[in-house]
């Protein structure tokens, strides 16, 4: 019985204790709002996508650090990413891209990339512009 309790503690309880001891500085929280200047109602099946990307090497596809897909999108919409701090490499360019699609057709997107400062605690405002009808 004692051996069983030790195994339970080792495999189930100890990982939770280790996670509780992790310092909050190991993760970066990036919060913000996606909105647009011209309010229109979106179709029920519109999908909002927000991506956190590393675009440093322009000869390669961007590295997606985190992504959010929200169905039944309505704007303005809040987003939040929690990313390990070591995912941000000094000297790299990390940005947020956002867009809204309806039936695989791009409706709105942000034209200007929003550069990320992992040390900032200010929420980001991502403004979308209309692409098509």
């Amino acid at each position: 019985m004692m051996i069983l309790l030790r195994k339970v503690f080792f495999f189930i309880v100890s990982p939770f204790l280790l996670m509780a001891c992790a310092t909050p500085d190991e993760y970066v929280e990036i919060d913000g709002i996606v909105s647009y200047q011209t309010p229109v109602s979106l179709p029920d099946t519109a999908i909002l996508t927000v991506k956190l990307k590393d675009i440093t090497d322009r000869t390669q596809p961007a590295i997606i650090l985190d992504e959010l897909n929200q169905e039944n999108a309505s704007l303005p919409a809040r987003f939040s990413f929690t990313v390990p701090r070591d995912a941000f490499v000094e000297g790299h360019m990390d940005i947020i891209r956002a867009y809204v699609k309806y039936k695989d057709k791009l409706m709105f997107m942000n034209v200007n990339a929003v550069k990320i400062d992992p040390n900032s605690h200010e929420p980001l405002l991502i403004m979308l512009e209309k692409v098509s009808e």
Side-chain angles (χ1 to χ4, degrees):
M1 180 70 175
M2 189 62 144
I3 293 173
L4 179 63
L5 286 175
R6 284 185 187 165
K7 286 182 181 180
V8 166
F9 179 81
F10 183 76
F11 289 109
I12 296 175
V13 176
S14 61
F16 288 110
L17 290 174
L18 287 174
M19 288 189 323
C21 294
T23 63
D25 287 344
E26 292 180 19
Y27 292 92
V28 174
E29 284 194 37
I30 299 166
D31 299 312
I33 297 174
V34 176
S35 189
Y36 44 24
Q37 293 177 343
T38 311
V40 295
S41 60
L42 294 174
D44 289 340
T45 56
I47 298 173
L48 167 67
T49 301
V50 183
K51 293 182 181 183
L52 172 60
K53 298 177 174 184
D54 180 342
I55 61 164
T56 305
D57 186 354
R58 306 224 179 204
T59 64
Q60 299 292 321
I63 299 169
I64 298 173
L65 303 175
D66 207 347
E67 180 175 353
L68 166 90
N69 290 300
Q70 179 183 342
E71 294 182 12
N72 300 326
S74 63
L75 297 178
R78 294 191 168 277
F79 67 89
S80 182
F81 295 124
T82 302
V83 182
R85 184 169 289 281
D86 60 4
F88 294 98
V89 179
E90 189 172 334
H92 281 211
M93 180 177 275
D94 302 306
I95 63 165
I96 295 253
R97 283 288 195 192
Y99 54 88
V100 175
K101 282 187 172 182
Y102 172 65
K103 293 185 178 178
D104 291 326
K105 186 175 181 181
L106 187 63
M107 295 178 66
F108 293 90
M109 67 180 284
N110 67 319
V111 177
N112 299 318
V114 178
K115 191 171 179 186
I116 302 300
D117 177 4
N119 299 312
S120 174
H121 298 289
E122 295 295 318
L124 300 170
L125 177 59
I126 311 296
M127 294 302 290
L128 301 180
E129 294 185 22
K130 193 169 190 170
V131 175
S132 64
E133 292 292 325

